[in-house]
Amino acid sequence: MLKYSLKRIVKLIPVLIAITLIVFTLMYLTPGDPALQKLTSQGGEVTPELLSEVRHEMGLDRPFIIRYSSWVLNVLQGDLGNAYTDDQPVVPKLMKALGYTASLAIACTLFSVIIAVPLGVYTAIKKDSLFDNIIRIFTFTGNAMPNFLIALLLMFLFCIKIRAFPVIATASLKGMFLPTLALSIPMISRFARQTRADVMSQLSEEYVIGMHARGVKERVILFRNVLHNSAGSIITIVSLQIRVLIGGSVVTEMIFRWPGIGNLMMNSITARDFPVVQGAVLILATLQILVNLLTDLSYFLIDKRISLE
């Protein structure tokens, strides 16, 4: 397993290099002058001499290839540079924001799995019952609604009508509730539908019919065999949703002002703070790659018939 992991990591190094080159090129071609943006935000008169001096201090007057090579060399040493807006190191800012995004992703994933898996199993057992039809309607609706609409509806209900939560989420468990719920509703819908489909498929298999004929208890068949054989597809959709949460919770973080990495990226793009954007994309891409690797390893752990090769 260690050998396989190392081989996968080595093969993904060119992918990271390509990602850094693409992101750096996009930032380089983005309209706007970060030096002018910085001076304008500070107030005062912006003279051509002052602008030229600040551009030199920020390294914006150097050729593209030199700037890119210097950035890559610094990244290899664990240095993502300093932010243009406040001259503070980028790494601590990203780590702080990543902690908030990670806590939101973990809470959302755990909450969704705890709710969706039992719901999916029960609706599979009670196929075509009234409860199953009601849950199918809710999961279809939740899966179809975009995150930003769910977030706005929750904000309107809980923040404006009931006034149980502040409009701007605080960095606390209470502040995490609405963003977690907004991201969890579509996830619960997808998990429940996938679990229901997988369990129904397994229940029609011959080994389940044979175990019923031998008098094996229903809960043993369900939890020891059916769920175990359905775990692969459930892990697949969970890993897909984790990757979506890592890089795709930008809108929800912006709506609730959750201080995660998505919110930081959007503010940095607006401020032309390119070192922060480049560092954030690099970290998110690395996390996506690691999630892919962990997902592949989990298949091997739950089913020894699967070969890592």
Side-chain angles (χ1 to χ4, degrees):
M1 186 180 296
L2 178 61
K3 182 181 178 181
Y4 171 79
S5 302
L6 292 175
K7 286 172 61 178
R8 283 284 301 271
I9 292 173
V10 170
K11 289 180 180 179
L12 292 171
I13 291 176
V15 177
L16 287 176
I17 294 175
I19 290 173
T20 60
L21 181 58
I22 292 172
V23 173
F24 199 92
T25 303
L26 290 175
M27 294 297 100
Y28 181 80
L29 298 176
T30 300
D33 190 343
L36 180 61
Q37 183 93 4
K38 180 179 180 180
L39 291 173
T40 304
S41 64
Q42 294 175 352
E45 183 181 0
V46 181
T47 62
E49 293 78 12
L50 180 60
L51 180 60
S52 178
E53 181 182 349
V54 173
R55 283 180 56 83
H56 179 72
E57 291 176 355
M58 298 171 66
L60 299 175
D61 56 348
R62 294 184 294 173
F64 170 82
I65 189 64
I66 295 177
R67 288 171 56 185
Y68 174 71
S69 301
S70 176
W71 182 69
V72 170
L73 290 175
N74 290 332
V75 168
L76 294 176
Q77 299 174 24
D79 181 14
L80 295 176
N82 293 338
Y84 287 162
T85 54
D86 55 9
D87 291 325
Q88 296 298 314
V90 171
V91 173
K93 298 178 70 170
L94 290 177
M95 290 299 103
K96 182 178 180 181
L98 184 62
Y100 287 111
T101 297
S103 62
L104 189 63
I106 292 171
C108 180
T109 303
L110 291 177
F111 180 71
S112 301
V113 171
I114 291 173
I115 299 297
V117 172
L119 201 62
V121 172
Y122 189 75
T123 52
I125 297 173
K126 302 295 182 180
K127 178 186 175 183
D128 295 330
S129 65
L130 177 62
F131 180 79
D132 178 37
N133 290 328
I134 292 173
I135 295 301
R136 288 168 67 185
I137 293 173
F138 277 107
T139 55
F140 178 81
T141 304
N143 193 29
M145 293 177 67
N147 277 55
F148 75 89
L149 180 58
I150 296 174
L152 292 174
L153 290 175
L154 291 175
M155 181 179 287
F156 177 76
L157 177 62
F158 288 99
C159 300
I160 297 177
K161 288 298 184 180
I162 302 178
R163 297 184 179 181
F165 298 91
V167 175
I168 298 177
T170 57
S172 61
L173 291 176
K174 184 177 181 180
M176 190 192 297
F177 178 77
L178 286 183
T180 300
L181 187 59
L183 292 170
S184 296
I185 289 175
M187 287 184 64
I188 290 173
S189 302
R190 296 185 188 105
F191 290 174
R193 291 169 66 87
Q194 183 67 40
T195 304
R196 177 182 181 274
D198 292 336
V199 171
M200 285 174 53
S201 175
Q202 290 295 321
L203 289 176
S204 62
E205 293 289 336
E206 293 182 357
Y207 78 89
V208 175
I209 299 173
M211 294 179 76
H212 277 299
R214 293 196 300 271
V216 181
K217 294 182 179 180
E218 183 75 23
R219 64 175 181 271
V220 175
I221 299 174
L222 189 61
F223 292 104
R224 184 174 296 179
N225 299 96
V226 172
L227 276 181
H228 182 270
N229 292 334
S230 303
S233 57
I234 295 174
I235 288 175
T236 299
I237 192 171
V238 168
S239 68
L240 287 173
Q241 292 304 309
I242 290 176
R243 281 176 278 177
V244 171
L245 287 174
I246 290 174
S249 58
V250 177
V251 175
T252 303
E253 290 184 359
M254 290 291 293
I255 291 175
F256 291 103
R257 293 296 186 268
W258 183 254
I261 198 166
N263 193 14
L264 177 63
M265 279 184 63
M266 293 303 297
N267 293 332
S268 300
I269 292 173
T270 304
R272 300 293 190 275
D273 199 343
F274 297 155
V276 176
V277 178
Q278 292 162 185
V281 172
L282 179 62
I283 289 176
L284 292 178
T286 304
L287 289 176
Q288 298 279 358
I289 291 171
L290 291 177
V291 170
N292 283 340
L293 176 59
L294 292 175
T295 302
D296 291 342
L297 292 177
S298 66
Y299 295 147
F300 172 74
L301 292 175
I302 64 174
D303 192 346
K304 298 300 182 180
R305 295 173 299 175
I306 296 176
S307 172
L308 287 176
E309 298 300 327

